[in-house]
Amino acid sequence: MTVHQHGRYSTPVEDLPSRAVPEAAVGRLAIYLRVLTSMIEQGVTTMSSEELAGAAGVNSATLRKDLSYVGSYGTRGVGYDTAKLVEHIEQLLGLTRHHSVAVVGIGNLGHALANYGGFPDRGFPVTALFDVDEDLVGIPVGGLPVDHVNTIPEVCAEREVTIGVICTPASAAQIVCDLLVAGGVRCILNFAPVMLQVPSDVEVRRVDLAVELQILSFYQARRSPGPRAGAAPVDPVAVIR
Amino acid sequence: MTVHQHGRYSTPVEDLPSRAVPEAAVGRLAIYLRVLTSMIEQGVTTMSSEELAGAAGVNSATLRKDLSYVGSYGTRGVGYDTAKLVEHIEQLLGLTRHHSVAVVGIGNLGHALANYGGFPDRGFPVTALFDVDEDLVGIPVGGLPVDHVNTIPEVCAEREVTIGVICTPASAAQIVCDLLVAGGVRCILNFAPVMLQVPSDVEVRRVDLAVELQILSFYQARRSPGPRAGAAPVDPVAVIR
DNA sequence: GCAACTTTGTTCCTGCGTTCACAAGCGGCT
DNA sequence: AGCCGCTTGTGAACGCAGGAACAAAGTTGC
Ligand SMILES: NC(=O)c1ccc[n+]([C@@H]2O[C@H](COP(=O)([O-])OP(=O)(O)OC[C@H]3O[C@@H](n4cnc5c(N)ncnc54)[C@H](O)[C@@H]3O)[C@@H](O)[C@H]2O)c1
Ligand SMILES: NC(=O)c1ccc[n+]([C@@H]2O[C@H](COP(=O)([O-])OP(=O)(O)OC[C@H]3O[C@@H](n4cnc5c(N)ncnc54)[C@H](O)[C@@H]3O)[C@@H](O)[C@H]2O)c1
């Protein structure tokens, strides 16, 4: 019944394996992982903290601290072995197991996610699609047939779904969330603009595009106090015509 | 040339109107705004900090501090007038003006965004769509015809686009970003999994779904140390079969 | 084999953001 | 009209994350 959408700084009673890893660090580790795999494809076998930090857009000290959560797998005077580092980060992030994903609400956004190839490639196979619309049930989207929302609990348990993605209208999000939880899903990615009520052992992450746009709007408003848009300071490349 | 994707704590030299507002607070204000408009629709005219904080899922002290950035518009002993509060938050976030949005890359995700009605409703009309695919150019999506990427600078300037949304493959994101900047766009929402290089007066926000999934994966891995998934502590509602 | 250089891992410190706690202020009730 | 209770707004403390700086460690060159 606890409400704790974001703002989780690892549980107060911290007796879990290895040091507590700050959430911000976890997010960055995921980025390092992407940079590293990209570099490995280009044949790079070793990177210094400075190089990797530059590519990821963070401070090199921050990067080294983040990597220290993973363990000491660098070589002083040389840098990090890219392949080894990828291996250890994947282990910390739990990416050695595949995480089966269910998408609920196959509308505009649900279609996009179901058709997206980037998730299976990264170890997140989409194994279930759900919608309440009878016309959609049975139709394959991205090669996978849509099931009815009523079957969420059974199907999720059966296919061992670990991550549920909610793409329904806001009004249906809580009901769908409850069904996912009933199906044993304890990780939820929520695109609907509502705060979900979940048991304390369920982790919810919210992606709120409207909020992102409004934050951008705020900075835009801060920059140009006058009502007209043209009052830019100086931007050599933005000179039009 | 500065790399500062997130991690902006308001400019060091702070001589702008009113106090510096922490980025985290701006994001929460956007959420309060949504809760408030929803409550107003239900006929609620007054809310206490405790009520509003509960609905938004934050601490009431945090909420009051956030609202203090907006100004002192509450009434002690009573609470906040919902309508007045909405008005002032909208002003702070710069939502009194409409912000014209351009979407670049009309694939899976671009289609979803172009068809989404929630943005226009919130003061973010989509006024331009771009793609490099000649087959898409000219075709209307969500009632708006797709233009060719080459025309980004002119069209964005012409239609006074303030926010650019990048939904292209990662490989094209930087080029597209440069074109948007050339068109005078200084706020960018980036869905491609790359760090964009932009001039220091351009604000970039990145939405990285793969990272979100990996963070969920991390928490999942933390919870169940054993390889099998069934080792849940106790969850009354999740008992299957 | 030794010395000099490079780079990691960590410690310390600074600063921000969140939370607690309380005084000030306002409305309602008698 | 005055008192009482409730809620705001903010000053102060706390905790965490990020950045700088340094010592340990390993490698390369001589
Ligand atoms: N499309 C976007 O670009 C976008 C952007 C930001 C936020 N969102 C949010 O994402 C969510 C989905 O957006 P969309 O544009 O895909 O909407 P949509 O209307 O296109 O799709 C919603 C889908 O959910 C299904 N649905 C409705 N009730 C359901 C229920 N009880 N159980 C299961 N499925 C149900 C509908 O049948 C429909 O297929 C919304 O909450 C929206 O606010 C979407
Ligand atoms: N679809 C998703 O659910 C999803 C999820 C997470 C991340 N993403 C990211 O979002 C981006 C888009 O994903 P998608 O699934 O829509 O891809 P997509 O392949 O369906 O669409 C990409 C579109 O971009 C266009 N394009 C290519 N090069 C271009 C250029 N130089 N200028 C303009 N347009 C160009 C293509 O013609 C195509 O229409 C990708 O970077 C992807 O990694 C998508």
Side-chain angles (χ1 to χ4, degrees), chain A residues 104-110 130-133 136 149 166-170 172 175-176 191-193 207 209-210, chain B residues 109 112-114 116 119:
Chain A
V104 189
I106 312 302
N108 288 317
L109 196 54
F130 300 100
D131 205 293
V132 77
D133 188 346
L136 274 171
V149 275
I166 298 178
C167 304
T168 66
I175 300 160
V176 160
F191 283 90
V207 176
L209 303 186
Chain B
L109 195 55
L113 294 172
Y116 183 51
F119 294 156

PDB file of all heavy atoms in Angstrom, chain A residues 104-110 130-133 136 149 166-170 172 175-176 191-193 207 209-210, chain B residues 109 112-114 116 119, ligand 1:
ATOM      1  N   VAL A 104       0.810  -4.106 -22.075  1.00  0.00           N
ATOM      2  CA  VAL A 104      -0.646  -4.045 -21.909  1.00  0.00           C
ATOM      3  C   VAL A 104      -1.167  -2.737 -22.507  1.00  0.00           C
ATOM      4  O   VAL A 104      -0.693  -1.654 -22.145  1.00  0.00           O
ATOM      5  CB  VAL A 104      -1.038  -4.114 -20.423  1.00  0.00           C
ATOM      6  CG1 VAL A 104      -2.551  -4.281 -20.294  1.00  0.00           C
ATOM      7  CG2 VAL A 104      -0.317  -5.248 -19.723  1.00  0.00           C
ATOM      8  N   GLY A 105      -2.128  -2.854 -23.395  1.00  0.00           N
ATOM      9  CA  GLY A 105      -2.687  -1.676 -24.065  1.00  0.00           C
ATOM     10  C   GLY A 105      -2.020  -1.484 -25.410  1.00  0.00           C
ATOM     11  O   GLY A 105      -1.044  -0.763 -25.537  1.00  0.00           O
ATOM     12  N   ILE A 106      -2.563  -2.169 -26.431  1.00  0.00           N
ATOM     13  CA  ILE A 106      -1.893  -2.178 -27.741  1.00  0.00           C
ATOM     14  C   ILE A 106      -2.509  -1.093 -28.626  1.00  0.00           C
ATOM     15  O   ILE A 106      -3.120  -1.379 -29.657  1.00  0.00           O
ATOM     16  CB  ILE A 106      -1.996  -3.570 -28.383  1.00  0.00           C
ATOM     17  CG1 ILE A 106      -1.602  -4.652 -27.383  1.00  0.00           C
ATOM     18  CG2 ILE A 106      -1.091  -3.654 -29.605  1.00  0.00           C
ATOM     19  CD1 ILE A 106      -0.193  -4.506 -26.817  1.00  0.00           C
ATOM     20  N   GLY A 107      -2.352   0.154 -28.196  1.00  0.00           N
ATOM     21  CA  GLY A 107      -2.793   1.288 -29.002  1.00  0.00           C
ATOM     22  C   GLY A 107      -1.615   1.868 -29.747  1.00  0.00           C
ATOM     23  O   GLY A 107      -0.749   1.140 -30.220  1.00  0.00           O
ATOM     24  N   ASN A 108      -1.575   3.179 -29.845  1.00  0.00           N
ATOM     25  CA  ASN A 108      -0.460   3.844 -30.538  1.00  0.00           C
ATOM     26  C   ASN A 108       0.880   3.402 -29.971  1.00  0.00           C
ATOM     27  O   ASN A 108       1.748   2.895 -30.667  1.00  0.00           O
ATOM     28  CB  ASN A 108      -0.577   5.359 -30.360  1.00  0.00           C
ATOM     29  CG  ASN A 108      -1.722   5.942 -31.164  1.00  0.00           C
ATOM     30  OD1 ASN A 108      -1.919   5.570 -32.309  1.00  0.00           O
ATOM     31  ND2 ASN A 108      -2.475   6.846 -30.557  1.00  0.00           N
ATOM     32  N   LEU A 109       1.023   3.630 -28.670  1.00  0.00           N
ATOM     33  CA  LEU A 109       2.300   3.391 -28.021  1.00  0.00           C
ATOM     34  C   LEU A 109       2.588   1.898 -27.914  1.00  0.00           C
ATOM     35  O   LEU A 109       3.717   1.457 -28.166  1.00  0.00           O
ATOM     36  CB  LEU A 109       2.265   4.033 -26.633  1.00  0.00           C
ATOM     37  CG  LEU A 109       3.587   4.230 -25.934  1.00  0.00           C
ATOM     38  CD1 LEU A 109       4.560   5.009 -26.801  1.00  0.00           C
ATOM     39  CD2 LEU A 109       3.352   4.961 -24.616  1.00  0.00           C
ATOM     40  N   GLY A 110       1.584   1.119 -27.543  1.00  0.00           N
ATOM     41  CA  GLY A 110       1.762  -0.323 -27.412  1.00  0.00           C
ATOM     42  C   GLY A 110       2.231  -0.962 -28.708  1.00  0.00           C
ATOM     43  O   GLY A 110       3.115  -1.824 -28.703  1.00  0.00           O
ATOM     44  N   PHE A 130      -1.439  -7.611 -24.325  1.00  0.00           N
ATOM     45  CA  PHE A 130      -2.817  -7.642 -23.824  1.00  0.00           C
ATOM     46  C   PHE A 130      -3.570  -6.381 -24.208  1.00  0.00           C
ATOM     47  O   PHE A 130      -2.981  -5.294 -24.263  1.00  0.00           O
ATOM     48  CB  PHE A 130      -2.823  -7.756 -22.293  1.00  0.00           C
ATOM     49  CG  PHE A 130      -2.147  -8.975 -21.760  1.00  0.00           C
ATOM     50  CD1 PHE A 130      -0.847  -8.912 -21.269  1.00  0.00           C
ATOM     51  CD2 PHE A 130      -2.805 -10.203 -21.742  1.00  0.00           C
ATOM     52  CE1 PHE A 130      -0.215 -10.039 -20.768  1.00  0.00           C
ATOM     53  CE2 PHE A 130      -2.184 -11.340 -21.236  1.00  0.00           C
ATOM     54  CZ  PHE A 130      -0.883 -11.251 -20.750  1.00  0.00           C
ATOM     55  N   ASP A 131      -4.868  -6.561 -24.446  1.00  0.00           N
ATOM     56  CA  ASP A 131      -5.735  -5.404 -24.648  1.00  0.00           C
ATOM     57  C   ASP A 131      -7.150  -5.813 -24.271  1.00  0.00           C
ATOM     58  O   ASP A 131      -7.488  -7.000 -24.238  1.00  0.00           O
ATOM     59  CB  ASP A 131      -5.688  -4.914 -26.097  1.00  0.00           C
ATOM     60  CG  ASP A 131      -6.060  -3.440 -26.199  1.00  0.00           C
ATOM     61  OD1 ASP A 131      -7.244  -3.102 -25.929  1.00  0.00           O
ATOM     62  OD2 ASP A 131      -5.189  -2.615 -26.534  1.00  0.00           O
ATOM     63  N   VAL A 132      -7.977  -4.813 -23.977  1.00  0.00           N
ATOM     64  CA  VAL A 132      -9.364  -5.077 -23.607  1.00  0.00           C
ATOM     65  C   VAL A 132     -10.252  -5.107 -24.846  1.00  0.00           C
ATOM     66  O   VAL A 132     -11.350  -5.648 -24.829  1.00  0.00           O
ATOM     67  CB  VAL A 132      -9.862  -4.009 -22.601  1.00  0.00           C
ATOM     68  CG1 VAL A 132     -10.191  -2.701 -23.316  1.00  0.00           C
ATOM     69  CG2 VAL A 132     -11.079  -4.502 -21.824  1.00  0.00           C
ATOM     70  N   ASP A 133      -9.761  -4.542 -25.932  1.00  0.00           N
ATOM     71  CA  ASP A 133     -10.529  -4.430 -27.171  1.00  0.00           C
ATOM     72  C   ASP A 133     -10.644  -5.794 -27.863  1.00  0.00           C
ATOM     73  O   ASP A 133      -9.650  -6.360 -28.309  1.00  0.00           O
ATOM     74  CB  ASP A 133      -9.820  -3.410 -28.088  1.00  0.00           C
ATOM     75  CG  ASP A 133     -10.633  -3.085 -29.324  1.00  0.00           C
ATOM     76  OD1 ASP A 133     -11.602  -3.832 -29.613  1.00  0.00           O
ATOM     77  OD2 ASP A 133     -10.296  -2.105 -30.011  1.00  0.00           O
ATOM     78  N   LEU A 136      -9.022  -6.472 -31.166  1.00  0.00           N
ATOM     79  CA  LEU A 136      -7.570  -6.633 -31.225  1.00  0.00           C
ATOM     80  C   LEU A 136      -7.135  -8.032 -30.786  1.00  0.00           C
ATOM     81  O   LEU A 136      -6.117  -8.553 -31.261  1.00  0.00           O
ATOM     82  CB  LEU A 136      -6.893  -5.600 -30.305  1.00  0.00           C
ATOM     83  CG  LEU A 136      -6.625  -4.222 -30.892  1.00  0.00           C
ATOM     84  CD1 LEU A 136      -6.164  -3.256 -29.818  1.00  0.00           C
ATOM     85  CD2 LEU A 136      -5.570  -4.303 -31.998  1.00  0.00           C
ATOM     86  N   VAL A 149      -7.169  -8.905 -21.616  1.00  0.00           N
ATOM     87  CA  VAL A 149      -6.673  -8.474 -20.296  1.00  0.00           C
ATOM     88  C   VAL A 149      -7.081  -9.427 -19.173  1.00  0.00           C
ATOM     89  O   VAL A 149      -6.331  -9.590 -18.206  1.00  0.00           O
ATOM     90  CB  VAL A 149      -7.173  -7.066 -19.914  1.00  0.00           C
ATOM     91  CG1 VAL A 149      -6.280  -6.010 -20.497  1.00  0.00           C
ATOM     92  CG2 VAL A 149      -8.604  -6.861 -20.298  1.00  0.00           C
ATOM     93  N   ILE A 166       2.816  -0.772 -19.048  1.00  0.00           N
ATOM     94  CA  ILE A 166       1.431  -0.296 -19.125  1.00  0.00           C
ATOM     95  C   ILE A 166       1.300   0.854 -20.109  1.00  0.00           C
ATOM     96  O   ILE A 166       1.885   1.918 -19.914  1.00  0.00           O
ATOM     97  CB  ILE A 166       0.933   0.137 -17.731  1.00  0.00           C
ATOM     98  CG1 ILE A 166       0.956  -1.067 -16.784  1.00  0.00           C
ATOM     99  CG2 ILE A 166      -0.477   0.730 -17.822  1.00  0.00           C
ATOM    100  CD1 ILE A 166       0.522  -0.747 -15.363  1.00  0.00           C
ATOM    101  N   CYS A 167       0.537   0.611 -21.184  1.00  0.00           N
ATOM    102  CA  CYS A 167       0.308   1.619 -22.230  1.00  0.00           C
ATOM    103  C   CYS A 167      -1.169   1.848 -22.435  1.00  0.00           C
ATOM    104  O   CYS A 167      -1.616   2.123 -23.555  1.00  0.00           O
ATOM    105  CB  CYS A 167       0.913   1.167 -23.559  1.00  0.00           C
ATOM    106  SG  CYS A 167       2.641   0.772 -23.488  1.00  0.00           S
ATOM    107  N   THR A 168      -1.950   1.678 -21.394  1.00  0.00           N
ATOM    108  CA  THR A 168      -3.385   1.900 -21.492  1.00  0.00           C
ATOM    109  C   THR A 168      -3.692   3.354 -21.160  1.00  0.00           C
ATOM    110  O   THR A 168      -2.833   4.072 -20.661  1.00  0.00           O
ATOM    111  CB  THR A 168      -4.132   1.016 -20.495  1.00  0.00           C
ATOM    112  OG1 THR A 168      -3.789   1.446 -19.176  1.00  0.00           O
ATOM    113  CG2 THR A 168      -3.767  -0.433 -20.664  1.00  0.00           C
ATOM    114  N   PRO A 169      -4.923   3.807 -21.416  1.00  0.00           N
ATOM    115  CA  PRO A 169      -5.303   5.131 -20.920  1.00  0.00           C
ATOM    116  C   PRO A 169      -5.157   5.177 -19.403  1.00  0.00           C
ATOM    117  O   PRO A 169      -5.196   4.134 -18.731  1.00  0.00           O
ATOM    118  CB  PRO A 169      -6.777   5.241 -21.328  1.00  0.00           C
ATOM    119  CG  PRO A 169      -6.934   4.310 -22.473  1.00  0.00           C
ATOM    120  CD  PRO A 169      -5.996   3.194 -22.223  1.00  0.00           C
ATOM    121  N   ALA A 170      -5.005   6.374 -18.875  1.00  0.00           N
ATOM    122  CA  ALA A 170      -4.774   6.548 -17.441  1.00  0.00           C
ATOM    123  C   ALA A 170      -5.858   5.887 -16.604  1.00  0.00           C
ATOM    124  O   ALA A 170      -5.582   5.277 -15.561  1.00  0.00           O
ATOM    125  CB  ALA A 170      -4.694   8.032 -17.111  1.00  0.00           C
ATOM    126  N   ALA A 172      -7.447   3.214 -16.963  1.00  0.00           N
ATOM    127  CA  ALA A 172      -7.371   1.760 -16.836  1.00  0.00           C
ATOM    128  C   ALA A 172      -6.081   1.286 -16.188  1.00  0.00           C
ATOM    129  O   ALA A 172      -5.938   0.101 -15.872  1.00  0.00           O
ATOM    130  CB  ALA A 172      -7.522   1.116 -18.217  1.00  0.00           C
ATOM    131  N   ILE A 175      -6.154  -0.703 -12.677  1.00  0.00           N
ATOM    132  CA  ILE A 175      -6.756  -2.038 -12.781  1.00  0.00           C
ATOM    133  C   ILE A 175      -5.769  -3.002 -13.429  1.00  0.00           C
ATOM    134  O   ILE A 175      -5.541  -4.114 -12.953  1.00  0.00           O
ATOM    135  CB  ILE A 175      -8.057  -1.979 -13.626  1.00  0.00           C
ATOM    136  CG1 ILE A 175      -9.062  -1.024 -12.975  1.00  0.00           C
ATOM    137  CG2 ILE A 175      -8.643  -3.361 -13.804  1.00  0.00           C
ATOM    138  CD1 ILE A 175     -10.131  -0.540 -13.928  1.00  0.00           C
ATOM    139  N   VAL A 176      -5.182  -2.540 -14.529  1.00  0.00           N
ATOM    140  CA  VAL A 176      -4.214  -3.358 -15.257  1.00  0.00           C
ATOM    141  C   VAL A 176      -3.016  -3.667 -14.360  1.00  0.00           C
ATOM    142  O   VAL A 176      -2.510  -4.794 -14.339  1.00  0.00           O
ATOM    143  CB  VAL A 176      -3.762  -2.603 -16.523  1.00  0.00           C
ATOM    144  CG1 VAL A 176      -2.448  -3.141 -17.028  1.00  0.00           C
ATOM    145  CG2 VAL A 176      -4.838  -2.693 -17.592  1.00  0.00           C
ATOM    146  N   PHE A 191       3.526   4.031 -18.587  1.00  0.00           N
ATOM    147  CA  PHE A 191       3.476   5.193 -19.474  1.00  0.00           C
ATOM    148  C   PHE A 191       2.248   6.044 -19.233  1.00  0.00           C
ATOM    149  O   PHE A 191       2.136   7.138 -19.782  1.00  0.00           O
ATOM    150  CB  PHE A 191       3.486   4.739 -20.943  1.00  0.00           C
ATOM    151  CG  PHE A 191       4.826   4.324 -21.430  1.00  0.00           C
ATOM    152  CD1 PHE A 191       5.245   3.014 -21.316  1.00  0.00           C
ATOM    153  CD2 PHE A 191       5.692   5.245 -21.992  1.00  0.00           C
ATOM    154  CE1 PHE A 191       6.495   2.616 -21.758  1.00  0.00           C
ATOM    155  CE2 PHE A 191       6.943   4.864 -22.442  1.00  0.00           C
ATOM    156  CZ  PHE A 191       7.349   3.544 -22.322  1.00  0.00           C
ATOM    157  N   ALA A 192       1.300   5.527 -18.468  1.00  0.00           N
ATOM    158  CA  ALA A 192       0.081   6.285 -18.214  1.00  0.00           C
ATOM    159  C   ALA A 192       0.354   7.356 -17.163  1.00  0.00           C
ATOM    160  O   ALA A 192       1.070   7.112 -16.202  1.00  0.00           O
ATOM    161  CB  ALA A 192      -1.025   5.354 -17.745  1.00  0.00           C
ATOM    162  N   PRO A 193      -0.222   8.538 -17.350  1.00  0.00           N
ATOM    163  CA  PRO A 193       0.059   9.639 -16.424  1.00  0.00           C
ATOM    164  C   PRO A 193      -0.721   9.529 -15.121  1.00  0.00           C
ATOM    165  O   PRO A 193      -1.551  10.370 -14.821  1.00  0.00           O
ATOM    166  CB  PRO A 193      -0.349  10.875 -17.232  1.00  0.00           C
ATOM    167  CG  PRO A 193      -1.357  10.395 -18.204  1.00  0.00           C
ATOM    168  CD  PRO A 193      -1.035   8.968 -18.491  1.00  0.00           C
ATOM    169  N   VAL A 207       7.325   6.655 -16.992  1.00  0.00           N
ATOM    170  CA  VAL A 207       7.849   7.467 -18.091  1.00  0.00           C
ATOM    171  C   VAL A 207       6.747   8.430 -18.461  1.00  0.00           C
ATOM    172  O   VAL A 207       5.710   8.036 -18.967  1.00  0.00           O
ATOM    173  CB  VAL A 207       8.249   6.601 -19.297  1.00  0.00           C
ATOM    174  CG1 VAL A 207       8.686   7.483 -20.457  1.00  0.00           C
ATOM    175  CG2 VAL A 207       9.348   5.635 -18.914  1.00  0.00           C
ATOM    176  N   LEU A 209       5.921  11.581 -20.561  1.00  0.00           N
ATOM    177  CA  LEU A 209       6.399  12.470 -21.620  1.00  0.00           C
ATOM    178  C   LEU A 209       5.867  13.882 -21.445  1.00  0.00           C
ATOM    179  O   LEU A 209       6.562  14.851 -21.771  1.00  0.00           O
ATOM    180  CB  LEU A 209       5.992  11.916 -22.983  1.00  0.00           C
ATOM    181  CG  LEU A 209       6.488  10.491 -23.245  1.00  0.00           C
ATOM    182  CD1 LEU A 209       6.176  10.081 -24.665  1.00  0.00           C
ATOM    183  CD2 LEU A 209       7.970  10.391 -22.984  1.00  0.00           C
ATOM    184  N   ALA A 210       4.658  14.002 -20.910  1.00  0.00           N
ATOM    185  CA  ALA A 210       4.103  15.337 -20.699  1.00  0.00           C
ATOM    186  C   ALA A 210       4.984  16.104 -19.703  1.00  0.00           C
ATOM    187  O   ALA A 210       5.260  17.293 -19.887  1.00  0.00           O
ATOM    188  CB  ALA A 210       2.676  15.244 -20.194  1.00  0.00           C
TER     189      ALA A 210
ATOM    190  N   LEU B 109       7.746   4.761 -33.252  1.00  0.00           N
ATOM    191  CA  LEU B 109       7.552   5.687 -32.150  1.00  0.00           C
ATOM    192  C   LEU B 109       7.024   7.031 -32.643  1.00  0.00           C
ATOM    193  O   LEU B 109       6.122   7.617 -32.035  1.00  0.00           O
ATOM    194  CB  LEU B 109       8.888   5.868 -31.426  1.00  0.00           C
ATOM    195  CG  LEU B 109       8.854   6.498 -30.065  1.00  0.00           C
ATOM    196  CD1 LEU B 109       7.909   5.748 -29.145  1.00  0.00           C
ATOM    197  CD2 LEU B 109      10.254   6.523 -29.470  1.00  0.00           C
ATOM    198  N   ALA B 112       3.352   6.972 -33.188  1.00  0.00           N
ATOM    199  CA  ALA B 112       2.618   6.993 -31.925  1.00  0.00           C
ATOM    200  C   ALA B 112       2.524   8.410 -31.378  1.00  0.00           C
ATOM    201  O   ALA B 112       1.469   8.862 -30.937  1.00  0.00           O
ATOM    202  CB  ALA B 112       3.283   6.071 -30.912  1.00  0.00           C
ATOM    203  N   LEU B 113       3.624   9.128 -31.412  1.00  0.00           N
ATOM    204  CA  LEU B 113       3.645  10.491 -30.882  1.00  0.00           C
ATOM    205  C   LEU B 113       2.791  11.421 -31.729  1.00  0.00           C
ATOM    206  O   LEU B 113       2.057  12.259 -31.206  1.00  0.00           O
ATOM    207  CB  LEU B 113       5.081  11.007 -30.811  1.00  0.00           C
ATOM    208  CG  LEU B 113       5.984  10.281 -29.816  1.00  0.00           C
ATOM    209  CD1 LEU B 113       7.426  10.739 -29.981  1.00  0.00           C
ATOM    210  CD2 LEU B 113       5.520  10.514 -28.389  1.00  0.00           C
ATOM    211  N   ALA B 114       2.892  11.262 -33.056  1.00  0.00           N
ATOM    212  CA  ALA B 114       2.135  12.141 -33.950  1.00  0.00           C
ATOM    213  C   ALA B 114       0.631  11.926 -33.793  1.00  0.00           C
ATOM    214  O   ALA B 114      -0.148  12.864 -33.924  1.00  0.00           O
ATOM    215  CB  ALA B 114       2.557  11.884 -35.398  1.00  0.00           C
ATOM    216  N   TYR B 116      -0.815  10.938 -31.025  1.00  0.00           N
ATOM    217  CA  TYR B 116      -1.221  11.085 -29.634  1.00  0.00           C
ATOM    218  C   TYR B 116      -1.912  12.426 -29.408  1.00  0.00           C
ATOM    219  O   TYR B 116      -1.376  13.479 -29.748  1.00  0.00           O
ATOM    220  CB  TYR B 116       0.013  10.977 -28.733  1.00  0.00           C
ATOM    221  CG  TYR B 116      -0.289  11.042 -27.261  1.00  0.00           C
ATOM    222  CD1 TYR B 116      -1.256  10.227 -26.683  1.00  0.00           C
ATOM    223  CD2 TYR B 116       0.410  11.915 -26.436  1.00  0.00           C
ATOM    224  CE1 TYR B 116      -1.510  10.284 -25.317  1.00  0.00           C
ATOM    225  CE2 TYR B 116       0.162  11.971 -25.079  1.00  0.00           C
ATOM    226  CZ  TYR B 116      -0.806  11.151 -24.530  1.00  0.00           C
ATOM    227  OH  TYR B 116      -1.054  11.206 -23.196  1.00  0.00           O
ATOM    228  N   PHE B 119      -0.771  15.592 -26.193  1.00  0.00           N
ATOM    229  CA  PHE B 119       0.152  16.721 -26.241  1.00  0.00           C
ATOM    230  C   PHE B 119      -0.551  18.018 -26.620  1.00  0.00           C
ATOM    231  O   PHE B 119      -0.414  19.008 -25.905  1.00  0.00           O
ATOM    232  CB  PHE B 119       1.315  16.425 -27.186  1.00  0.00           C
ATOM    233  CG  PHE B 119       2.195  15.323 -26.714  1.00  0.00           C
ATOM    234  CD1 PHE B 119       2.961  14.593 -27.602  1.00  0.00           C
ATOM    235  CD2 PHE B 119       2.275  14.999 -25.372  1.00  0.00           C
ATOM    236  CE1 PHE B 119       3.782  13.562 -27.165  1.00  0.00           C
ATOM    237  CE2 PHE B 119       3.085  13.974 -24.916  1.00  0.00           C
ATOM    238  CZ  PHE B 119       3.848  13.255 -25.830  1.00  0.00           C
TER     239      PHE B 119
HETATM  240  N1  LIG E   1       0.989   7.689 -27.745  1.00  0.00           N
HETATM  241  C1  LIG E   1       1.880   8.455 -27.195  1.00  0.00           C
HETATM  242  O1  LIG E   1       2.739   8.968 -27.859  1.00  0.00           O
HETATM  243  C2  LIG E   1       1.854   8.725 -25.727  1.00  0.00           C
HETATM  244  C3  LIG E   1       2.690   9.694 -25.213  1.00  0.00           C
HETATM  245  C4  LIG E   1       2.676   9.943 -23.849  1.00  0.00           C
HETATM  246  C5  LIG E   1       1.859   9.212 -23.021  1.00  0.00           C
HETATM  247  N2  LIG E   1       1.065   8.287 -23.528  1.00  0.00           N
HETATM  248  C6  LIG E   1       0.228   7.525 -22.625  1.00  0.00           C
HETATM  249  O2  LIG E   1       0.304   6.160 -22.939  1.00  0.00           O
HETATM  250  C7  LIG E   1      -0.954   5.573 -22.796  1.00  0.00           C
HETATM  251  C8  LIG E   1      -1.368   4.953 -24.107  1.00  0.00           C
HETATM  252  O3  LIG E   1      -1.367   5.917 -25.135  1.00  0.00           O
HETATM  253  P1  LIG E   1      -1.841   5.553 -26.592  1.00  0.00           P
HETATM  254  O4  LIG E   1      -1.629   6.753 -27.435  1.00  0.00           O
HETATM  255  O5  LIG E   1      -1.186   4.291 -27.013  1.00  0.00           O
HETATM  256  O6  LIG E   1      -3.390   5.336 -26.375  1.00  0.00           O
HETATM  257  P2  LIG E   1      -4.378   4.535 -27.309  1.00  0.00           P
HETATM  258  O7  LIG E   1      -5.731   5.013 -27.018  1.00  0.00           O
HETATM  259  O8  LIG E   1      -3.898   4.571 -28.712  1.00  0.00           O
HETATM  260  O9  LIG E   1      -4.235   3.045 -26.822  1.00  0.00           O
HETATM  261  C9  LIG E   1      -4.755   2.608 -25.622  1.00  0.00           C
HETATM  262  C10 LIG E   1      -5.006   1.116 -25.732  1.00  0.00           C
HETATM  263  O10 LIG E   1      -5.342   0.612 -24.461  1.00  0.00           O
HETATM  264  C11 LIG E   1      -6.455  -0.264 -24.609  1.00  0.00           C
HETATM  265  N3  LIG E   1      -7.173  -0.329 -23.362  1.00  0.00           N
HETATM  266  C12 LIG E   1      -8.109   0.506 -22.876  1.00  0.00           C
HETATM  267  N4  LIG E   1      -8.551   0.081 -21.690  1.00  0.00           N
HETATM  268  C13 LIG E   1      -7.875  -1.036 -21.412  1.00  0.00           C
HETATM  269  C14 LIG E   1      -7.882  -1.931 -20.330  1.00  0.00           C
HETATM  270  N5  LIG E   1      -8.670  -1.766 -19.281  1.00  0.00           N
HETATM  271  N6  LIG E   1      -7.053  -2.980 -20.372  1.00  0.00           N
HETATM  272  C15 LIG E   1      -6.236  -3.157 -21.425  1.00  0.00           C
HETATM  273  N7  LIG E   1      -6.177  -2.339 -22.468  1.00  0.00           N
HETATM  274  C16 LIG E   1      -6.994  -1.297 -22.467  1.00  0.00           C
HETATM  275  C17 LIG E   1      -7.254   0.311 -25.727  1.00  0.00           C
HETATM  276  O11 LIG E   1      -8.053  -0.688 -26.309  1.00  0.00           O
HETATM  277  C18 LIG E   1      -6.167   0.804 -26.664  1.00  0.00           C
HETATM  278  O12 LIG E   1      -5.785  -0.195 -27.556  1.00  0.00           O
HETATM  279  C19 LIG E   1      -1.890   6.660 -22.347  1.00  0.00           C
HETATM  280  O13 LIG E   1      -2.017   6.600 -20.949  1.00  0.00           O
HETATM  281  C20 LIG E   1      -1.198   7.911 -22.752  1.00  0.00           C
HETATM  282  O14 LIG E   1      -1.509   8.961 -21.889  1.00  0.00           O
HETATM  283  C21 LIG E   1       1.050   8.016 -24.881  1.00  0.00           C
END
